[in-house]
């Protein structure tokens, strides 16, 4: 166990900054005091254990958790009511863990990314991980080496592999299996109560083995999880690391920033660090299986993570989890199960999961730090494969994307509904609906902003023609790319200058003196094609399209682009489609 | 019957690759073998409507129907030859008959592929096509059955029309992808498939009154007998814990019942066909049942494996009884396996439900 002083330092280093800009900063101690409801769950654990042990015909000291398991209960377990959650006595290990996490304060859950992994996801992640480890489908196999979960929570991800290991060794000497298991399974977490729960549920999986050992030769069951920092460098390398790491931005101490320099770019997200540390811990045949948001596939802040992963442990297998709201209460991001392996892989299998698992595609493993294009649906697979092989991206054609500079709620006092001295009209995302620039009446109350001075105007005002692209679209909108041209005429009509709000991306020529390969009109028309919309859906599974992702949009070679000049409508649509189709 | 125009066999694989480009899909969906399979199904007209009910006279194939196709047969595009090949290739002793047919044409039978390549078609290519809405399976045929059960969907078969070329082909492929590969389309196909399955399913009523649909097949009929006839007669208070079916579905009693009994049934490693428990006994007696349609009776080896499995699922040692259930004492499986029944196990025959065979050690 880490010394308290040291732990305090760690937790300060990992103090969770706000996600977005309005949330309060989290408390320093990630394992703050437990709410009474959580204590009640912990208090029923000894009774749960007794029921489990009895079911195996065990008796005496084996019914007493304190004697049977080489780990002591956290203080909080003593504080709860032993009778409030009697419903949990006959529950499964998974339900017990889920009940603990559900009993935590919602704020703590959100800030510290403590989410229980639902059984169907932990089973699926293990199925994918074991396949990459070379275990044969449909045949039980013992663990081929150390399996670690550096953010084990209540142990959900470790249950399926431990279960399989125990069953695969049903024919072996149970004492040997029991003695070997601490070398094969390791959980780490910062929350002592969760660690204890992990130890209890994993030990319960070992009870059938205990029952087979003669009474006199039984030893207390080992604690397989420990309190610690999952990001620390580990002495033992692991054959497999599985994780459902916490998410959220963190502020890092300079030494830690240096340690994770390989995987960081800009803001550090906790799950980036866990993935980076996870890969670092793998041995030469190691496999990393992670349940993570899909933002790492495309986001700018994850570009170094992608580069490092592609070079050291390429993506082998990805399953997108559909039905976002059903997976984790309160988490809105698209999530995926991703498996990486040290062994080089040429292909990556993509599947989607929505109750049942459906194979989507098998494509070349993504390389480099640019956004990884992975189709979410089979009908997008050929487009994704073609796009991934394209030589250019939007940025390379001479266009630069930036985010609209106006954050309206910081300038609330300067907004007005009518034109006036020193005021400049604002372009809102809604003004681009339908792919044509217009004044959306719903924004009329905040149509103008007072520019304070020249510097303010310098930062905010747009005085040259551009292409405007919505940065987020509503899920119910048919298209993910909604772009509109801001022509000289438009600018003139709007008074010569406009201020673009920050839910809009602005595309401008990178160099004002050099014409981009694609003209503004053509680019705008290309962005409006159905084909490009589908490419974008392979870049980002969410409704957001950042300036970075926009610049990374794959495009065909210059001669093809030039051949589109002058085409519009259905003719352009079919020309673009031809470029992005295979076969 | 009006047969479709036939593309060249090698063109089928080419076209498959345009539909399932190798840079985006598993290569088994567009391999030369897969191309030959398409050609064979077009040749014998194993083509069924996409969603509409399948007519009774629809033709279905086995993987071998595709592998045994020959250049000689494929060159004979007349209806009589194609019908003759189909009849020969899907019946009993098919390979002999296909060879005889070729002999009657004055040629030796040189199949395009060897028999040992059928696993790829059966386990990877066909299921992949099925998943993408390119194929249908014959409802009411169990997964393990040797009966022909595969056919192309009409819209998919249309893509192989040799007259479809150039931009028209591109447009047709795109339209087909849009209509069949979206999650919604897949869900629709899946639901239709499930609906068909239930029409042919074996309905079994559990002791608690709930009705389960088992996949069609003899094993399911035997299980139905065990649960509805044998269990009420033999057990005082029967609870069905699990029923595994010939497909990939498994019925498992709800978590609460399992929890109360201290059990943990892991679906992935389920071994026996059914587990019943007599909760009127103290301690409860677990009955591990094997329904033997073709093979899988409780032999000594099997019994040992089942005991180990039972332990890993927390079923107490010594609290287990074993039952091999057969359709009849006359069934081939029952006659073959009588000599192998493990000591201390029971056997039951569905057509003589009032009796039970016990095999004691003296």
């Amino acid at each position: 166990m880490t010394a308290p002083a040291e732990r305090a330092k760690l937790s300060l280093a990992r103090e969770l900054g706000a996600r977005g800009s309005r949330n309060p900063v989290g408390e320093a101690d990630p394992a703050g005091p437990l709410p009474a409801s959580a204590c009640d769950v912990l208090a029923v654990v000894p009774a749960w254990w007794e029921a489990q042990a009895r079911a195996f015909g065990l008796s005496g000291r084996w019914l007493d958790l304190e004697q049977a398991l080489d780990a002591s209960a956290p203080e909080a377990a003593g504080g709860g009511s032993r009778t409030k959650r009697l419903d949990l006595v006959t529950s499964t290990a998974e339900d017990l863990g889920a009940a603990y996490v559900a009993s935590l304060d919602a704020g703590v859950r959100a800030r510290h990314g403590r989410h229980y992994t639902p059984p169907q996801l932990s089973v699926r992640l293990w199925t994918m991980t074991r396949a990459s480890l070379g275990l044969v489908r449909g045949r039980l196999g013992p663990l081929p080496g150390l399996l670690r979960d550096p953010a084990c929570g209540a142990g959900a991800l470790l249950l399926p592999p431990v279960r399989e290991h125990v069953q695969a060794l049903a024919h072996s000497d149970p004492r040997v299996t029991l003695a070997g298991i601490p070398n094969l399974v390791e959980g780490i977490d910062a929350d002592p109560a969760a660690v204890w729960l992990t130890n209890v549920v994993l030990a319960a999986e070992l009870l059938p083995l205990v029952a087979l050992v003669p009474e006199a030769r039984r030893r207390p069951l080992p604690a397989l999880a420990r309190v610690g920092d999952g990001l620390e460098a580990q002495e033992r390398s692991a054959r497999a690391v599985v994780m459902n790491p916490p998410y959220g931005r963190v502020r890092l101490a300079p030494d830690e920033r240096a340690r994770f320099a390989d995987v960081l770019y800009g803001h550090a997200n906790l799950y980036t660090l866990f993935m980076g540390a996870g890969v670092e811990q793998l041995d030469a045949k190691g496999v990393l299986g992670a349940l993570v948001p899909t933002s790492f596939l495309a986001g700018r802040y994850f570009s170094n993570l992608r580069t490092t992963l592609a070079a050291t442990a390429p993506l082998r297998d990805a399953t997108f989890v559909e039905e976002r709201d059903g997976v984790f209460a309160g988490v809105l991001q698209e999530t995926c199960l991703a498996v990486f392996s040290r062994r080089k892989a040429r292909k990556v299998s993509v599947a989607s999961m929505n109750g049942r698992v459906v194979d989507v595609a098998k494509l070349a493993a993504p390389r480099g730090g640019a956004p990884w294009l992975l189709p979410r649906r089979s009908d997008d697979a050929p487009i994704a494969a073609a796009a991934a092989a394209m030589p250019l991206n939007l940025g390379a054609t001479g266009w630069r994307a930036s985010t609209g500079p106006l954050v309206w709620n910081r300038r609330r006092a300067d907004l007005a509904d009518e034109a006036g001295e020193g005021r400049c009209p604002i372009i809102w995302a809604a003004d681009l609906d339908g792919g044509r620039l217009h004044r959306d009446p719903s924004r009329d109350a905040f149509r103008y902003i007072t520019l304070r001075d020249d510097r303010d105007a310098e930062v905010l005002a747009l005085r040259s023609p551009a292409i405007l692209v919505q940065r987020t679209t509503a899920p119910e909108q048919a298209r993910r790319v909604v772009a509109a041209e801001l022509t000289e005429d438009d600018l003139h009509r709007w008074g010569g200058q406009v201020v673009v709000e920050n839910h809009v991306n602005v595309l401008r020529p990178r160099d004002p003196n050099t014409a981009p390969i694609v003209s503004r009109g053509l680019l705008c028309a290309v962005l409006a094609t159905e084909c490009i919309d589908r490419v974008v859906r392979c870049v980002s599974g969410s409704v957001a399209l950042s300036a970075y992702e926009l610049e990374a949009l794959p495009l065909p070679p210059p001669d093809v682009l030039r051949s589109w000049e002058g085409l519009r409508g259905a003719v352009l649509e079919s020309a673009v489609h031809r470029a992005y189709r295979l076969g | 019957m009006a047969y479709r125009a036939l593309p060249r066999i090698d063109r089928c694989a080419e076209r498959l690759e345009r539909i399932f480009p190798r840079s985006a899909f598993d290569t088994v969906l567009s391999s030369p073998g897969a191309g030959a399979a398409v050609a064979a199904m077009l040749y014998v007209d194993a083509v069924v409507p996409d969603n509409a009910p399948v007519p009774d006279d629809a033709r279905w194939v086995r993987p071998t129907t595709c592998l045994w196709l020959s250049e000689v047969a494929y060159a004979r595009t007349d209806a009589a030859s194609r019908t003759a090949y189909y009849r020969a290739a899907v019946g009993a002793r098919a390979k002999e008959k296909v060879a005889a047919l070729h002999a009657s044409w004055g040629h030796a039978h040189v199949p395009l592929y060897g028999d040992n390549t059928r696993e790829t078609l059966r386990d990877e290519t066909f299921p992949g096509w099925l998943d993408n809405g390119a194929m249908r399976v014959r409802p009411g045929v169990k997964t393990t059955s040797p009966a022909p059960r595969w056919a192309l969907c009409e819209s998919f078969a249309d893509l192989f029309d040799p007259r479809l070329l150039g931009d028209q082909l591109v447009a047709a492929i795109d339209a087909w992808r849009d209509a069949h590969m979206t999650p919604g389309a897949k869900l629709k196909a899946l639901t239709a498939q499930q609906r068909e399955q239930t029409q042919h399913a074996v309905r079994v009523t559990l002791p608690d009154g709930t009705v389960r649909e088992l996949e069609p097949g003899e094993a399911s009929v035997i299980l139905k007998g065990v649960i509805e006839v044998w269990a009420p007669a033999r057990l005082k208070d029967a609870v069905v814990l699990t029923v595994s079916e010939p497909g990939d579905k498994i019925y498992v009693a709800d978590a609460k019942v399992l929890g109360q009994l201290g059990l943990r049934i892991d679906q992935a490693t389920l071994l026996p066909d059914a587990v019943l428990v007599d909760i009127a006994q103290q301690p409860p007696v677990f009955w591990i049942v094997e329904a033997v349609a073709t093979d899988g009776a409780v032999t000594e080896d099997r019994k040992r494996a089942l005991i180990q499995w039972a332990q890993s699922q927390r079923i107490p040692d010594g609290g287990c009884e074993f039952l091999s259930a057969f359709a009849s004492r006359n069934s081939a499986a029952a006659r073959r396996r009588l000599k192998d029944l493990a000591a201390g196990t029971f056997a039951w025959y569905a057509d003589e439900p009032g009796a039970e065979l016990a095999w004691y050690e003296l």
Side-chain angles (χ1 to χ4, degrees):
Chain A
M1 193 172 293
T2 325
E6 217 176 310
R7 266 197 53 219
K9 197 186 95 203
L10 286 173
S11 46
L12 278 176
R14 305 226 182 296
E15 180 179 317
L16 294 181
R19 250 189 264 179
S21 52
R22 272 155 288 157
N23 293 348
V25 170
E27 310 135 337
D29 184 3
L34 287 174
S37 53
C39 297
D40 293 341
V41 173
L42 296 177
V44 83
V45 170
W48 181 84
W49 174 268
E50 191 184 323
Q52 297 284 316
R54 258 188 217 289
F56 277 95
L58 293 167
S59 58
R61 67 187 176 110
W62 288 95
L63 303 183
D64 178 6
L65 181 55
E66 287 287 317
Q67 293 185 58
L69 175 65
D70 188 15
S72 40
E75 272 172 41
S81 152
R82 286 171 175 269
T83 50
K84 247 195 196 144
R85 296 304 304 269
L86 279 179
D87 59 304
L88 293 173
V89 172
T90 56
S91 70
T92 61
E94 281 87 351
D95 288 345
L96 191 64
Y100 167 70
V101 176
S103 71
L104 296 175
D105 178 56
V108 170
R109 272 210 312 268
R111 273 205 304 278
H112 300 287
R114 283 192 201 155
H115 299 285
Y116 194 76
T117 315
Q120 64 270 37
L121 293 188
S122 51
V123 166
R124 174 69 187 163
L125 186 63
W126 175 238
T127 305
M128 292 161 67
T129 307
R130 71 189 293 289
S132 286
L133 284 168
L135 292 172
V136 181
R137 197 172 74 179
R139 197 190 304 159
L140 293 173
L143 287 170
L146 174 64
L147 170 82
R148 176 181 291 137
D149 183 344
C152 66
L157 290 181
L158 294 172
L159 282 167
V162 168
R163 239 166 237 166
E164 177 175 346
H165 180 74
V166 168
Q167 289 182 17
L169 294 176
H171 303 250
S172 320
D173 185 336
R175 277 183 298 155
V176 177
T177 308
L178 284 170
I181 210 147
N183 295 326
L184 292 171
V185 181
E186 182 181 22
I188 305 170
D189 202 281
D191 174 358
V195 165
W196 181 64
L197 264 182
T198 301
N199 279 320
V200 173
V201 297
L202 292 182
E205 294 299 325
L206 305 178
L207 284 170
L209 300 176
V210 174
L212 296 175
V213 177
E215 184 91 52
R217 319 194 73 158
R218 292 178 189 161
R219 299 278 170 272
L221 287 161
L224 300 175
R226 61 187 165 85
V227 177
D229 176 7
L231 293 176
E232 261 176 1
Q234 301 292 334
E235 255 174 55
R236 287 190 295 167
S237 58
R239 173 54 54 88
V241 172
V242 290
M243 58 170 74
N244 174 9
Y247 319 149
R249 264 188 211 173
V250 274
R251 206 163 51 216
L252 292 179
D255 57 330
E256 292 215 296
R257 186 137 202 122
R259 181 173 159 228
F260 289 107
D262 282 2
V263 292
L264 289 180
Y265 179 98
H267 290 299
N269 193 309
L270 209 41
Y271 88 84
T272 309
L273 305 184
F274 271 95
M275 287 174 85
V279 167
E280 192 182 271
Q281 293 167 16
L282 296 178
D283 67 16
K285 294 180 188 166
V287 172
L288 168 69
L291 169 53
V292 281
T294 53
S295 48
F296 83 93
L297 293 168
R300 159 170 262 167
Y301 297 145
F302 303 91
S303 56
N304 282 348
L305 175 67
R306 285 192 294 274
T307 310
T308 304
L309 286 171
T312 59
L315 183 65
R316 294 266 306 239
D317 206 344
T319 299
F320 292 101
V321 182
E322 289 180 27
E323 194 199 34
R324 287 181 295 177
D325 46 2
V327 176
F328 304 111
V331 175
L332 293 172
Q333 285 151 306
E334 189 198 28
T335 45
C336 74
L337 302 161
V339 170
F340 306 82
S341 80
R342 284 278 196 207
R343 281 198 260 216
K344 294 283 173 267
R346 281 177 49 230
K347 290 246 170 178
V348 49
S349 308
V350 181
S352 77
M353 188 176 173
N354 186 354
R356 111 194 167 106
V357 176
V358 180
D359 287 331
V360 168
K362 206 166 218 182
L363 315 101
R367 281 179 299 188
W372 292 353
L373 273 97
L374 296 176
R376 272 62 167 177
R377 315 183 337 186
S378 306
D379 57 337
D380 288 341
I383 286 182
M390 297 238 160
L392 281 186
N393 60 35
L394 186 52
T397 62
W399 287 93
R400 188 170 64 84
S402 58
T403 306
L406 173 65
V407 181
W408 72 273
N409 50 337
R410 291 189 196 155
R411 297 293 296 269
R412 212 180 290 247
D414 297 325
L415 302 184
D417 59 349
E418 30 184 58
E421 181 66 30
R423 286 183 185 160
C424 174
I426 301 173
I427 293 184
W428 297 87
D431 301 333
L432 314 180
D433 283 346
R436 195 183 46 80
L437 185 64
H438 60 282
R439 290 188 189 217
D440 194 283
S442 66
R443 294 286 176 249
D444 281 350
F446 302 109
R447 182 52 72 191
Y448 296 92
I449 180 168
T450 308
L451 297 176
R452 290 168 185 164
D453 48 39
D454 288 353
R455 229 185 82 77
D456 200 24
E458 181 79 17
V459 173
L460 290 183
L462 174 66
R463 298 188 180 107
S464 59
I467 298 170
L468 306 174
V469 186
Q470 288 186 354
R471 223 180 101 199
T472 62
T473 45
E476 60 272 18
Q477 268 176 280
R479 294 183 53 90
R480 289 288 157 267
V481 192
V482 178
E485 202 177 346
L486 177 73
T487 60
E488 277 95 350
D489 283 355
D490 291 325
L491 264 177
H492 185 71
R493 247 196 319 278
W494 285 65
Q497 60 176 6
V498 291
V499 170
V500 180
E501 196 263 340
N502 88 328
H503 287 84
V504 176
N505 289 312
V506 183
L507 281 169
R508 270 172 293 189
R510 190 173 293 279
D511 174 358
N513 303 316
T514 320
I517 296 175
V518 220
S519 72
R520 191 175 69 234
L522 173 62
L523 181 55
C524 200
V526 168
L527 289 174
T529 59
E530 192 224 330
C531 194
I532 292 295
D533 200 63
R534 291 171 74 161
V535 174
V536 165
R537 283 166 197 270
C538 301
V539 174
S540 163
S542 73
V543 291
L545 178 63
S546 68
Y548 171 76
E549 288 160 346
L550 195 56
E551 266 193 21
L553 192 71
L555 289 172
D559 53 319
V560 175
L561 289 172
R562 285 192 196 99
S563 74
W564 293 350
E565 230 31 274
L567 307 182
R568 290 297 183 271
V571 186
L572 177 66
E573 184 81 55
S574 80
V576 175
H577 202 161
R578 260 200 306 283
Y580 285 90
R581 83 184 307 288
L582 296 151
Chain B
M1 130 175 271
Y3 280 99
R4 285 166 183 259
L6 293 176
R8 266 170 45 193
I9 295 180
D10 54 342
R11 292 262 191 276
C12 290
E14 271 175 36
R15 210 157 273 198
L16 277 172
E17 223 195 303
R18 301 185 68 157
I19 305 169
F20 303 110
R22 290 186 171 201
S23 48
F25 295 95
D26 204 313
T27 50
V28 293
L29 299 185
S30 59
S31 62
V38 167
M41 283 184 271
L42 295 173
Y43 183 72
V44 303
D45 200 44
V47 177
V48 296
D50 287 9
N51 295 307
V54 182
D56 291 339
D57 61 349
R59 291 181 172 182
W60 306 89
V61 301
R62 295 193 277 250
T64 50
T65 317
C66 305
L67 303 172
W68 293 341
L69 184 68
S70 65
E71 301 277 4
V72 169
Y74 202 67
R76 299 176 69 103
T77 55
D78 62 291
S81 300
R82 290 163 79 167
T83 305
Y85 177 80
Y86 175 72
R87 297 256 158 80
V90 298
R93 291 186 294 118
K95 194 156 194 189
E96 283 170 42
K97 287 184 184 164
V98 169
L101 179 65
H102 279 76
S104 76
W105 288 337
H107 289 277
H109 176 220
V110 185
L112 289 174
Y113 288 90
D115 294 4
N116 56 358
T117 50
R118 71 174 184 278
E119 282 83 2
T120 312
L121 284 187
R122 186 191 62 200
D123 300 339
E124 296 180 56
T125 308
F126 287 0
W129 287 347
L130 180 68
D131 215 28
N132 283 304
M135 250 193 157
R136 279 179 87 172
V137 284
R138 185 177 189 172
V141 179
K142 54 186 172 172
T143 321
T144 50
S145 164
R149 57 192 290 266
W150 302 95
L152 296 179
C153 284
E154 219 161 34
S155 63
F156 186 66
D158 289 346
L159 299 179
F160 294 86
D161 188 328
R163 289 162 300 186
L164 199 55
L165 293 166
D167 285 350
Q168 272 185 312
L169 175 63
V170 171
I173 289 175
D174 287 344
W176 184 84
R177 269 196 206 130
D178 285 345
H180 292 87
M181 296 173 94
T182 59
K186 285 183 175 180
L187 188 66
K188 203 171 135 198
L190 182 75
T191 339
Q193 202 182 320
Q194 275 167 348
R195 201 173 306 125
E196 274 175 359
Q197 288 285 3
T198 51
Q199 279 171 11
H200 296 80
V202 175
R203 293 166 67 86
V204 52
T205 310
L206 303 185
D208 65 357
T210 56
V211 177
R212 299 288 306 179
E213 316 247 352
L214 303 188
E215 280 209 4
E218 203 184 344
S220 296
V221 175
I222 297 173
L223 280 175
K224 179 181 165 76
V226 167
I227 292 166
E228 291 180 354
V229 182
W230 174 83
R234 182 66 156 78
L235 311 183
K236 285 206 185 76
D237 193 351
V239 173
V240 177
L241 290 182
T242 73
V243 183
S244 64
E245 303 169 31
D248 54 0
K249 282 179 292 174
I250 295 171
Y251 164 76
V252 181
D254 65 61
K256 194 151 186 203
V257 175
L258 296 177
Q260 280 162 350
L261 290 162
L263 299 177
R264 173 168 304 146
I265 302 293
D266 187 350
Q267 304 201 11
T269 62
L270 186 65
L271 279 181
D273 290 333
V275 180
L276 284 77
V277 57
D278 189 352
I279 52 171
Q281 312 271 358
Q282 202 45 252
V285 177
F286 291 84
W287 281 86
I288 295 184
V289 180
E290 293 283 36
V292 190
T294 48
D295 208 350
V298 183
T299 60
E300 290 294 351
D301 272 356
R302 186 78 181 152
K303 186 180 167 192
R304 250 193 312 277
L306 287 169
I307 288 175
Q308 243 147 15
W309 173 83
Q311 281 172 350
S312 70
Q313 307 300 318
R314 318 194 148 189
I315 296 172
D317 196 10
C320 284
E321 299 287 359
F322 298 88
L323 181 76
S324 304
F326 301 91
S328 157
R329 273 199 276 175
N330 246 329
S331 73
R335 278 184 290 162
R336 195 168 63 239
R337 283 297 164 217
L338 178 62
K339 63 180 174 21
D340 300 324
L341 291 184
T345 69
F346 299 84
W348 180 79
Y349 303 93
D351 63 345
E352 296 169 90
E356 185 182 82
L357 186 75
W359 184 240
Y360 302 124
E361 225 158 348
L362 288 177

